Amino acid sequence: MKYLQIALNVPANQTFTYANVEAGKRVAQEEKAQKDLIPQKRARKVDSFEARVGSRAEVMFGNKRMIGIITDVFDTLPEDLSFDARKIRKILRVLDESPLLSSELLDLGRWISDFYLCPIGEVLRSMIPDAKKGGEAGFLSSVDADSFEGKNELSDEQAKAVKAIVDGEKASGKEARLYHYLYGSTGSGKTEVFLSAAEKILEKGRGVLYLVPEIGLTPQVVSAVTRRFGPTAAILHSALTSAQKLGEWKRIVQKEARVVIGARSAVFAPIPDLGLIIIDEEHDSSYKSGNSPRYHARQVAMRRASKLRIPLVMGSATPSVEAWKAMSDGQFIVHRLTKRLSGGKMPIIAAVDLARQKMDGSISPALEEEIRAALKEKRQTILFLNRRGFNHIFRCASCGFEMKCKNCSVPMTYHKKQNRLVCHYCSYSVEPFRVCPQCGSVDIGYFGFGTEFIESEVQSKFPNARALRLDTDSVGKKGELEEKIAAFKKGDYDILLGTQMIAKGLNFPSLKLVGVILADTSLHLPDFRAAEKTFSLITQVAGRAGRFFPDGKVLVQTYSPNNPAVYCACHSRQKEFYEQELSTRKLLNFPPYSRLLRLVFRSMVQSDAEAFAGDAYKILSETLDSFKKKRLSGAEETEILGPSACPLEKINSNYRSQILLRGPSVAVLQRVAASLIYGYRAKAGVYIEVDVDPVSLL
C-alpha cells in the first residue's frame, strides 16, 4: 500500500500521513465516517485519480472533510513513526488527473512557509484556485482573438532596455544581476518595454508572468497585454469564480496560455518553462498580502527568478525606498526612460498653501480658476482625494466628543447619500446625531471632507460640468468601474473625482488639469513609510496630466508645502527626496537599513491581548539573550520594541497590541519569533499575527 504526506489548511506547521486509494477505483467516501456524520445518507461513490505530488486529495481530518495538497508519496512507513500505524486513515479520493502544483511551486511554498512563518498547508492552499471539484471548471477567456495588435516602434532607450532584459537570461555571476529596474516618469513607455521583452521571451518558447497591483485599477495595461497577445494571454483576477480560476489554471499548465497577467496571487501561476517575470508599479503596497500568509509578491517573484535563473524586471515612476537603494548600490540593473513618447511632456506642478487661502469649501480659488479654464477649453480635469465619504469627523464643540466606531478605534465618516455615519474598517454604521450623545449639546458639527463632499461642491460651483465620482462607494456592479473609466476617456464627462482608484494606470488624451485636494491625508500617519507613500501618491496622480499635450497642469493643495515629500513631488526632485528619506531611515534605523518583523496580539478582551503581549515579550527576550550568548551573527544588534498598543488599537471588536523585532538579519528575527509561534500556546480567544517585512505599522 502507498502512503501520502498531505498538507492541510490547519494551524499546524506539519503535514499528515494518509493511506492511498487505487486510481480509477469507485470508492466509498469513508463510509463509517459518513454514517457517523450523516446517518440518513448513503456514502456517495466517486472516482479517484492517481496520487501524485502536487495534486489535491480529499480526506477526513477528525470529523471534518478537507482538501489538502499531496507533498510526498512513499511505499513504506518510516521505522521511527511517532504514532500507531493502525490509526492511519485512507484518503477519500484524489481530485486531479494531473498535479496543480509543480515541484518548483511546491519548493516555493516551502520557502514561503519558512520565510513568513506560516503553516505549509495554509501556504499551499493559498497558492491554488479554491475550487472543490476537479471536473467542473469551464474555460473562461476574457481575450478577444481578433484584437491582436502589432508591434510598436521602440525608441533607442526602450530598445536598449529590451535587449538587456532579454539577454539577462544569459546572466552569470551574482544572482542579483538577473534583477532589472525600469525607471522613468509616468508616460515614458515602460509598458511597451515590458510587452516587447515579453514577445522576445515568447519567441524562445518560454512563458511570461506579468504582475500588476490591482486588475480593476489598471484596465489599460491589461487591455494592452490582451490586445498584443490575443488568446495566448490569461488573466487571473478576483472577479472569476473558483471554477473559472481553476479552468484558467489548467489552461496555463497545458501551455494554452503563455502570458499570464494578474494581481498579487498570480505570482503563483504554474507557467511551464517560465522565462520572464514583470512587476509593474513595483512600489505599490497592494503587492503585500494583508492576511496570512503575509507574503510580498516582489519577494516571492525574486525568489522564483533566482531559482529559475530568469530575468525579473520591475518598473515604476516612484520606486520603493528599498528598490531605490538597491538601484543605487548596483544590485539592480537600471534602465532609465527620460522622454514622454505620446507628444506630451511633464506637467507644470504647483503647490497651493491652504494656510494662505481664503477657503470656501475644499476647492481653493486657485484650483477653481484652473478648473474653469479647462472647462472653457473643453478639456478634462481630475480631482483627487484619498478619503471617501462626505465629512470625516463628527465633533461636539461643547465637550470635544468625537464619534468613533464602537468596534474600531477610528473616527466614523458621514456619508450623505446613505445619511449614515460609517466605519471604513468594519462597515458598522449609525444614524447621524442631532445632539451630542455625551453631553446633550446641540453645538455639534461635521469636519473634514471626503470624495462625496467634493462631488457636492463641484456640482455647486460648476453646475454645467458633467462630473463623475469614482470610489468604492460609487462602484458596486461588476464591470461598472471599466465602463465609467471608458466613458470619461471618451469625453462623456468633464471632471473625474475620486480616490487612489484614479491615481494609476490611466491615460486620458483630453486631460489638462489634475487637482490634489489635500496632499496631507497620509503624511502624518504614525508609520515610517508615511512620507514615501505621500510622495508616491502625489507623483503618480500628477503623472496623469501632460501625457499627450505639453500644457498639462497639476495643483497640489496642502498645509505642508515645505515638507520634503510634498516639496520634492511638486518640484520633480525625485533624487533629492530619496536621498533625504534614506538619510532619515538610516538615522532611525528603519528599512532598508534594518529588517522588521511585526507581531500583533489580538483579543476581544483588552487585558488578554495585553497579557499575551507581555508574556510574549519575556519569551522573545529569553530567546534573543540565548542567541547573543551563542554569538549568533546579527543577534547582538537585534532589538525588541514594545509591547505597545497598535496605532489602530481596536479593529473589528479586537484589541491589538504589538511587538516589533528589528535587526540587521531577518534570519535572526525569524528564529526569535519562531520560538514564540511554535513553542507557546495562548489562551482561547487570543491570536497572534506574524508579519515579516511589514509595509504598514498601523
Side-chain angles (χ1 to χ4, degrees):
M1 175 180 288
K2 284 191 176 182
Y3 297 93
L4 312 175
Q5 285 299 118
I6 296 178
L8 296 170
N9 187 10
V10 294
N13 195 30
Q14 66 178 87
T15 55
F16 299 89
T17 305
Y18 282 85
N20 192 21
V21 293
E22 293 178 31
K25 186 178 178 182
R26 301 282 287 176
V27 294
Q29 297 185 345
E30 193 147 289
E31 291 192 27
K32 184 178 183 302
Q34 280 295 89
K35 288 174 183 175
D36 290 342
L37 288 170
I38 318 172
Q40 72 276 19
K41 292 185 179 180
R42 294 181 61 190
R44 191 161 47 94
K45 298 280 187 177
V46 293
D47 287 323
S48 181
F49 296 107
E50 182 183 348
R52 297 179 183 176
V53 172
S55 296
R56 295 171 302 157
E58 191 173 15
V59 302
M60 295 301 297
F61 185 74
N63 62 357
K64 186 178 180 183
R65 183 188 301 275
M66 296 188 73
I67 293 175
I69 307 295
I70 301 172
T71 60
D72 197 8
V73 179
F74 46 96
D75 294 319
T76 57
L77 295 170
E79 293 180 5
D80 59 346
L81 198 66
S82 59
F83 54 87
D84 187 349
R86 290 173 296 181
K87 293 183 178 179
I88 296 176
R89 304 165 80 171
K90 285 187 177 183
I91 66 169
L92 302 182
R93 58 170 175 154
V94 176
L95 290 163
D96 304 304
E97 191 171 1
S98 57
L100 291 182
L101 293 176
S102 63
S103 59
E104 183 242 332
L105 288 177
L106 282 171
D107 287 342
L108 183 69
R110 294 185 187 100
W111 176 83
I112 290 171
S113 174
D114 292 339
F115 189 88
Y116 294 103
L117 302 175
C118 181
I120 181 65
E122 189 173 343
V123 172
L124 297 182
R125 194 72 180 124
S126 71
M127 292 175 71
I128 63 172
D130 185 20
K132 286 195 173 185
K133 294 181 171 54
E136 294 182 355
F139 166 73
L140 176 104
S141 175
S142 48
V143 181
D144 182 358
D146 296 326
S147 62
F148 184 84
E149 189 177 79
K151 299 178 182 179
N152 293 332
E153 196 69 33
L154 297 177
S155 68
D156 291 342
E157 289 178 331
Q158 289 174 314
K160 185 179 177 183
V162 170
K163 185 177 187 305
I165 291 164
V166 175
D167 289 347
E169 214 177 4
K170 305 168 188 172
S172 59
K174 289 195 301 180
E175 281 186 355
R177 302 303 290 174
L178 291 167
Y179 306 148
H180 299 256
Y181 209 101
L182 197 58
Y183 173 53
S185 64
T186 52
S188 59
K190 292 187 288 294
T191 301
E192 186 55 45
V193 172
F194 293 148
L195 296 178
S196 296
E199 282 182 330
K200 298 288 186 184
I201 296 296
L202 286 175
E203 288 171 5
K204 297 182 177 186
R206 311 291 295 278
V208 176
L209 174 59
Y210 193 137
L211 297 179
V212 293
E214 297 168 73
I215 286 288
L217 305 189
T218 49
Q220 291 173 180
V221 175
V222 175
S223 176
V225 172
T226 55
R227 284 199 308 269
R228 182 70 64 91
F229 299 110
T232 194
I235 306 173
L236 298 178
H237 58 87
S238 57
L240 303 183
T241 67
S242 295
Q244 288 169 338
K245 285 178 185 175
L246 189 60
E248 288 292 81
W249 190 272
K250 291 183 175 179
R251 197 163 73 93
I252 295 164
V253 169
Q254 294 161 5
K255 292 190 175 184
E256 293 175 22
R258 301 300 286 141
V259 179
V260 177
I261 183 168
R264 180 178 62 232
S265 62
V267 74
F268 304 126
I271 305 171
D273 302 319
L274 182 59
L276 173 67
I277 302 175
I278 297 164
I279 304 181
D280 201 0
E281 306 291 0
E282 166 275 333
H283 69 278
D284 200 287
S285 60
S286 63
Y287 282 124
K288 174 78 170 180
S289 173
N291 301 308
S292 186
R294 290 177 172 81
Y295 66 91
H296 198 302
R298 180 184 62 209
Q299 288 176 318
V300 176
M302 291 174 78
R303 174 73 180 185
R304 284 193 83 174
S306 172
K307 295 296 285 185
L308 294 172
R309 301 292 303 161
I310 62 173
L312 163 67
V313 55
M314 297 165 273
S316 177
T318 54
S320 63
V321 171
E322 287 87 346
W324 183 274
K325 187 173 188 303
M327 291 158 64
S328 303
D329 292 347
Q331 295 175 348
F332 296 167
I333 302 171
V334 184
H335 310 284
R336 297 181 184 273
L337 302 180
T338 60
K339 303 170 185 174
R340 283 197 156 180
L341 303 177
S342 302
K345 67 177 184 179
M346 292 306 295
I348 298 168
I349 306 178
V352 177
D353 187 350
L354 294 178
R356 297 175 179 270
Q357 297 282 314
K358 290 184 178 180
M359 298 293 290
D360 176 23
S362 61
I363 298 174
S364 65
L367 180 55
E368 183 177 343
E369 183 180 334
E370 291 294 344
I371 295 172
R372 293 193 187 282
L375 289 171
K376 190 174 181 181
E377 294 177 32
K378 299 193 183 303
R379 302 280 294 281
Q380 292 175 308
T381 296
I382 283 180
L383 299 178
F384 171 81
L385 176 67
N386 207 25
R387 183 185 287 161
R388 292 153 47 211
F390 194 84
N391 296 108
H392 195 54
I393 297 171
F394 170 89
R395 189 173 185 275
C396 174
S398 298
C399 70
F401 170 81
E402 289 185 7
M403 182 61 193
K404 291 188 176 181
C405 174
K406 70 171 187 176
N407 302 318
C408 310
S409 52
V410 295
M412 298 187 72
T413 301
Y414 176 57
H415 286 247
K416 188 175 182 180
K417 188 175 180 180
Q418 299 171 241
N419 194 33
R420 306 280 292 181
L421 285 164
V422 180
C423 173
H424 288 169
Y425 282 84
C426 71
S427 299
Y428 170 73
S429 68
V430 295
E431 290 185 3
F433 299 104
R434 296 182 179 179
V435 298
C436 173
Q438 183 163 285
C439 71
S441 171
V442 294
D443 191 8
I444 59 174
Y446 294 93
F447 302 90
F449 45 81
T451 48
E452 197 178 12
F453 182 96
I454 310 300
E455 180 182 36
S456 177
E457 187 175 352
V458 165
Q459 290 169 346
S460 173
K461 289 184 174 177
F462 313 102
N464 296 322
R466 299 164 297 171
L468 172 67
R469 174 165 62 97
L470 279 184
D471 55 29
T472 53
D473 297 317
S474 65
V475 178
K477 299 174 186 174
K478 183 178 178 181
E480 189 174 4
L481 174 62
E482 292 81 359
E483 289 175 10
K484 288 185 173 180
I485 288 173
F488 184 73
K489 186 173 184 178
K490 198 168 66 173
D492 293 346
Y493 295 94
D494 305 306
I495 300 174
L496 173 65
L497 53 104
T499 57
Q500 64 180 13
M501 214 175 250
I502 63 175
K504 50 195 171 186
L506 302 175
N507 302 324
F508 302 114
S510 297
L511 181 69
K512 178 174 183 177
L513 176 67
V514 170
V516 179
I517 299 297
L518 186 61
D520 311 358
T521 50
S522 60
L523 188 58
H524 305 297
L525 293 174
D527 192 320
F528 74 94
R529 296 186 192 274
E532 176 186 354
K533 291 176 181 177
T534 300
F535 172 81
S536 174
L537 210 50
I538 295 173
T539 304
Q540 289 286 339
V541 74
R544 300 311 108 206
R547 282 177 170 247
F548 296 89
F549 296 95
D551 61 348
K553 286 187 178 181
V554 179
L555 262 62
V556 179
Q557 298 188 158
T558 176
Y559 287 102
S560 311
N562 296 319
N563 183 284
V566 178
Y567 181 84
C568 291
C570 291
H571 291 82
S572 300
R573 297 187 179 182
Q574 281 86 353
K575 185 178 180 182
E576 182 179 330
F577 169 75
Y578 285 108
E579 287 176 350
Q580 286 194 37
E581 185 66 11
L582 282 168
S583 176
T584 302
R585 299 272 186 96
K586 188 173 185 179
L587 184 67
L588 299 174
N589 194 27
F590 274 115
Y593 296 100
S594 67
R595 300 294 287 270
L596 293 179
L597 190 152
R598 186 188 191 207
L599 299 167
V600 175
F601 310 91
R602 60 180 174 85
S603 172
M604 297 183 76
V605 180
Q606 186 173 8
S607 58
D608 286 351
E610 292 171 351
F612 187 10
D615 291 343
Y617 176 80
K618 294 174 186 175
I619 295 168
L620 296 169
S621 297
E622 290 170 2
T623 304
L624 182 58
D625 286 343
S626 71
F627 288 166
K628 288 178 179 178
K629 289 176 182 177
K630 295 175 184 176
R631 298 186 182 279
L632 186 68
S633 177
E636 193 62 43
E637 300 85 1
T638 298
E639 55 187 331
I640 303 173
L641 308 177
S644 63
C646 293
L648 296 177
E649 186 177 9
K650 189 181 179 187
I651 293 180
N652 278 322
S653 300
N654 276 265
Y655 292 92
R656 305 159 73 238
S657 294
Q658 69 175 4
I659 290 176
L660 285 179
L661 302 179
R662 179 169 66 181
S665 167
V666 71
V668 172
L669 306 186
Q670 290 162 333
R671 288 182 64 179
V672 172
S675 69
L676 170 71
I677 298 161
Y678 301 129
Y680 178 78
R681 182 182 290 274
K683 66 184 291 187
V686 186
Y687 304 93
I688 183 170
E689 298 172 1
V690 187
D691 195 354
V692 180
D693 294 328
V695 299
S696 172
L697 299 181
L698 298 179

